[in-house]
């Protein structure tokens, strides 16, 4: 049940010399470039973009959600974790129903139970304190302006509102996004969000405490706890006590030419992507893909096999590092070339089917694999500023429209912000049938495992920044960024072509191909090798900036409403 696709619009790459922003909505991109033109840097731009995204792309991210950010300051990469946390009163049975079984997904999502303590604003504030240039209050001007004056409902927002099964049940959201007859506000309707304008004004003036304490926090807690059918256990202390975490990024060498930096756990994105790419490096190279770079069955087979192995490890090992130990004591044991060589050994002509987890460092496996669960509802922002510093920010409220709860911050005004359902990124099952614990089970204060893969690519020889990339789409994300890296750096496609390539994925089960993206013969050839092949929409939202001889080239995914602007 990913955030659905709403059509495709071909886009041209944008070229600029000095600075560039790409984000999922034109007004958000505009806010970022406004900050850069006002003398702001990449961090300033990213904060302004996020505040506008929460208004105009409320289905994907906002102040009620969480985010991961990578920053390049010209000397080093820093990694910032604004992932939601589980309330202190939650336990591993959070999503086990009265019948002792895992709750159905939508029953778990809708309401207060799935809402994690939001972290995006605290994280952005921490990064801004360290690296920002413009005053914090200035970063909120575009969002407050658009919230007060109104913005036009986009085709994508309209379509997602129209088909959403649950958002109308929330009184605040129903009164704001729908007409009296229950139909979604039409495309082009100018929507003012007065509650959000007021809340943003307070965050601009007082900082994140305006969200994490006082009336806005009290309203958040009340909405979570008082949901009639599915309340949560969030407390004022949980919200007040939230702290963003600065982590060591994981930077991984690829093909000896590139240094690829990403988030460590609790995100699984970088590890999964680099396990796939690292496993492919251990295998004989497969013939160049077909016309326009669209990969053929032989390449897709090998890719899918590498992905199975990576997702088998992800299911067993990756979770919040404050709660679980990395295998062999370090996360990059999963990326060790010798380990990946041993993992690649069984890859042959026929599919290996469901892959087992490996044993990096030779240590015994302490955890049971987590069964696959759907995830969706996210946005990615890439920025390069005039000094060549950069931000890759992936930000999420989990499912489209999150927990389907809208909070007005206690203002009594129409509108507000949507609460995340990020806790459903935990394993619903705490253990397997033998009682072995699952690493990513719910525990108080823990951060759910993520798939978000904000990525910075450097030239390993001279250290220059080459690419800023990322996307939404849950567990498909590492595949989307991998596709872009391979398309650009291996196959020599231009960045817009690479982004537009049909999507493909494997999560250690069926091989998933984007509907209509590949010739029928490709699926047939994969089936002949033993793959179960399914087609799915896979509406990615890649936002990529690539260094070129002309400066920077930016690409926004044709499957969503993103844009690129640069100077
Ligand atoms: N909640 C997911 C995660 O953190 C992301 C969902 C999406 O990208 O649509 O990995």
């Amino acid at each position: 049940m990913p955030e659905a696709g709403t059509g495709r619009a071909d886009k041209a790459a944008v070229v600029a010399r000095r600075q560039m922003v790409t984000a999922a909505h034109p007004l958000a991109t505009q806010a970022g470039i406004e900050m850069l033109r006002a003398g702001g840097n990449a961090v300033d731009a990213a904060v302004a973009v996020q505040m506008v995204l929460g208004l105009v792309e409320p289905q994907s991210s906002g102040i009620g959600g969480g985010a991961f950010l990578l920053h390049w300051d010209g000397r080093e990469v820093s990694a910032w974790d604004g992932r939601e946390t589980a309330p202190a009163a939650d336990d591993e049975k959070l999503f086990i129903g009265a019948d002792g079984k895992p709750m159905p997904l939508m029953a778990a999502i809708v309401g207060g139970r799935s809402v994690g303590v939001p972290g995006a604003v605290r994280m952005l504030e921490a990064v801004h304190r360290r690296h920002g240039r413009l005053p914090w209050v200035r970063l909120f001007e575009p969002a407050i302006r658009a919230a007060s004056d109104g913005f036009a409902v986009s085709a994508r927002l309209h379509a997602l509102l129209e088909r959403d099964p649950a958002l109308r049940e929330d009184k605040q959201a129903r009164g704001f996004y729908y007409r009296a007859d229950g139909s979604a506000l039409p495309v082009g309707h100018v929507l003012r969000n007065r509650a959000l304008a007021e809340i943003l004004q307070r965050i601009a003036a007082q900082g994140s405490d305006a969200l994490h304490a006082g009336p806005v926090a009290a309203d958040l807690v009340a909405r979570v706890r008082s949901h009639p059918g599915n309340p949560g256990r969030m407390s004022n202390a949980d919200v007040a006590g939230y702290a963003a975490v600065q982590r060591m990024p994981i930077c991984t060498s690829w093909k000896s030419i590139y240094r690829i930096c990403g988030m460590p756990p609790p995100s699984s994105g970088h590890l999964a992507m680099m396990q796939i790419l690292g496993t492919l490096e251990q295998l004989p190279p497969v013939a160049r893909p077909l016309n326009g770079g669209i990969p053929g069955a032989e390449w897709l087979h090998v890719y899918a096999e590498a992905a199975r192995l990576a997702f088998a490890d992800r299911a067993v090992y990756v979770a919040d590092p404050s709660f679980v130990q990395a295998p062999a004591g370090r996360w990059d044991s999963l990326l060790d070339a010798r380990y990946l060589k041993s993992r690649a050994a069984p890859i042959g002509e026929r599919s290996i089917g469901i892959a087992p987890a490996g044993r990096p460092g030779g240590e015994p496996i302490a955890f049971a694999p987590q069964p696959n669960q759907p995830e969706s509802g996210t946005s990615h922002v890439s920025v390069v500023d005039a000094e060549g510093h950069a931000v890759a920010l992936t930000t999420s409220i989990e499912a489209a429209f999150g927990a389907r709860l809208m909070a007005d911050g206690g203002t009594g005004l129409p509108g507000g912000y949507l609460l995340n359902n990020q806790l459903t990124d935990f394993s619903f099952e705490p253990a397997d049938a033998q009682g072995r614990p699952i690493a990513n089970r719910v525990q108080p204060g823990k951060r759910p495992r993520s798939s978000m893969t904000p990525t910075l690519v450097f030239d390993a020889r001279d250290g220059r920044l080459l690419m800023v990339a990322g996307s939404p789409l849950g567990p498909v994300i590492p595949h989307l960024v991998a596709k872009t890296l391979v398309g650009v750096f291996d196959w020599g496609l231009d960045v817009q072509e690479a982004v537009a390539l049909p999507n493909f994925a494997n999560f250690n089960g069926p091989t998933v191909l984007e509907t209509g993206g590949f010739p029928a013969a490709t699926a047939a050839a994969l089936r002949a090798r033993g793959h179960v092949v399914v087609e799915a929409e896979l509406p990615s939202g890649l936002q990529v900036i690539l260094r070129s001889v002309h400066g920077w080239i930016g690409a926004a995914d044709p499957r969503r409403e993103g844009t690129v602007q640069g100077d």
Side-chain angles (χ1 to χ4, degrees):
M1 193 203 52
E3 198 181 301
T6 49
R8 198 179 163 109
D10 285 333
K11 294 173 187 173
V14 173
V15 182
R17 286 218 155 273
R18 284 181 69 220
Q19 52 196 20
M20 184 168 275
V21 179
T22 170
H25 187 285
L27 286 178
T29 308
Q30 176 64 41
I33 210 82
E34 181 184 326
M35 294 303 120
L36 296 182
R37 287 177 187 160
N41 63 20
V43 168
D44 300 321
V47 176
V49 169
Q50 171 67 85
M51 295 309 148
V52 174
L53 283 175
L55 173 72
V56 299
E57 197 203 29
Q59 67 270 24
S60 298
S61 76
I63 62 172
F68 293 108
L69 186 148
L70 287 180
H71 180 246
W72 165 242
D73 68 0
R75 285 179 306 116
E76 59 178 21
V77 177
S78 57
W80 301 81
D81 172 345
R83 187 68 163 169
E84 296 87 340
T85 51
D90 282 343
D91 61 34
E92 62 181 35
K93 298 261 168 46
L94 181 65
F95 296 117
I96 300 294
D99 59 359
K101 298 207 181 85
M103 296 171 73
L105 185 63
M106 273 314 265
I109 287 178
V110 177
R113 181 183 303 266
S114 66
V115 182
V117 180
V121 175
R122 279 261 157 100
M123 183 273 283
L124 291 172
E125 183 179 59
V127 183
H128 180 262
R129 272 194 192 133
R130 179 89 179 72
H131 293 289
R133 182 179 300 146
L134 293 176
W136 175 251
V137 60
R138 172 77 177 93
L139 314 179
F140 289 75
E141 284 174 16
I144 293 169
R145 209 167 54 221
S148 316
D149 298 350
F151 68 95
V153 170
S154 76
R156 181 168 172 80
L157 175 56
H158 167 79
L160 293 177
L161 285 170
E162 190 59 52
R163 68 177 76 153
D164 194 80
L167 190 60
R168 292 169 179 86
E169 286 162 29
D170 180 68
K171 202 165 137 254
Q172 187 75 13
R174 183 184 170 97
F176 186 64
Y177 288 123
Y178 295 91
R179 295 190 289 201
D181 66 359
S183 60
L185 293 178
V187 179
H189 176 96
V190 176
L191 186 57
R192 294 186 175 80
N193 190 332
R194 291 170 53 207
L196 186 59
E198 171 64 29
I199 296 166
L200 291 178
Q201 237 140 19
R202 293 187 202 169
I203 299 174
Q206 300 156 30
S208 67
D209 282 349
L211 181 70
H212 285 266
V216 179
D219 168 74
L220 164 64
V221 169
R223 278 174 207 269
V224 167
R225 298 182 76 99
S226 68
H227 187 272
N230 196 25
R233 302 196 193 102
M234 194 182 290
S235 70
N236 290 315
D238 291 325
V239 181
Y242 183 91
V245 182
Q246 184 177 356
R247 299 192 184 277
M248 279 299 287
I250 303 183
C251 293
T252 313
S253 157
W254 182 44
K255 296 167 160 293
S256 321
I257 307 175
Y258 306 104
R259 185 168 156 264
I260 303 182
C261 297
M263 285 303 304
S267 186
S268 63
H270 178 81
L271 287 171
M273 177 174 80
M274 293 316 302
Q275 278 199 304
I276 298 171
L277 294 178
T279 304
L280 291 176
E281 266 190 279
Q282 300 299 331
L283 295 165
V286 177
R288 265 191 66 80
L290 295 174
N291 44 350
I294 296 177
E298 203 186 337
W299 189 88
L300 285 168
H301 164 69
V302 175
Y303 179 90
E305 300 301 283
R308 290 174 192 285
L309 293 160
F311 273 71
D313 280 354
R314 172 183 181 268
V316 167
Y317 293 113
V318 184
D320 184 338
S322 302
F323 289 76
V324 302
Q325 281 231 338
R330 50 184 189 93
W331 291 108
D332 58 9
S333 66
L334 289 161
L335 301 173
D336 184 78
R338 277 214 315 261
Y339 172 64
L340 292 180
K341 195 175 180 65
S342 73
R343 293 288 280 161
I347 297 180
E349 286 297 300
R350 286 195 58 82
S351 175
I352 51 180
I354 304 297
R359 290 174 51 187
E363 295 204 351
I365 297 178
F367 297 109
Q370 173 180 341
N372 277 337
Q373 290 170 193
E375 322 157 19
S376 65
T378 297
S379 206
H380 181 81
V381 183
S382 294
V383 186
V384 175
D385 66 23
E387 285 170 86
H389 302 173
V391 165
L393 165 69
T394 313
T395 174
S396 175
I397 57 169
E398 212 308 284
F401 304 108
R404 277 51 169 214
L405 284 184
M406 191 168 204
D408 71 357
T411 60
L413 297 167
Y417 66 97
L418 290 164
L419 307 188
N420 72 81
N421 67 297
Q422 214 67 251
L423 301 187
T424 59
D425 273 5
F426 282 117
S427 177
F428 281 31
E429 302 262 20
D432 69 0
Q434 292 84 51
R436 279 187 309 170
I438 291 172
N440 183 35
R441 66 191 181 281
V442 186
Q443 292 178 275
K446 191 175 178 181
R447 294 165 191 235
R449 184 191 70 194
S450 169
S451 302
M452 293 191 270
T453 316
T455 300
L456 298 174
V457 182
F458 297 88
D459 187 320
R461 294 157 303 192
D462 59 15
R464 281 187 320 163
L465 175 69
L466 298 179
M467 185 188 269
V468 188
S471 177
L473 211 62
V476 192
I477 300 172
H479 298 294
L480 300 169
V481 181
K483 174 194 82 167
T484 307
L485 297 181
V486 171
V488 169
F489 297 118
D490 250 2
W491 300 341
L493 300 178
D494 76 42
V495 62
Q496 192 70 46
E497 280 174 338
V499 166
L501 273 184
N503 292 326
F504 47 84
N506 189 298
F507 318 111
N508 200 17
T511 295
V512 189
L513 301 181
E514 183 173 1
T515 308
F518 297 87
T522 301
L526 286 168
R527 288 196 180 100
R529 287 172 179 266
H531 292 250
V532 175
V533 179
V534 298
E535 289 206 331
E537 208 171 9
L538 303 182
S540 48
L542 283 155
Q543 312 285 354
V544 185
I545 298 177
L546 175 71
R547 181 186 290 279
S548 83
V549 284
H550 309 292
W552 301 102
I553 305 188
D557 203 307
R559 301 162 186 86
R560 297 201 188 196
E561 293 173 333
T563 55
V564 185
Q565 274 198 58
D567 298 314

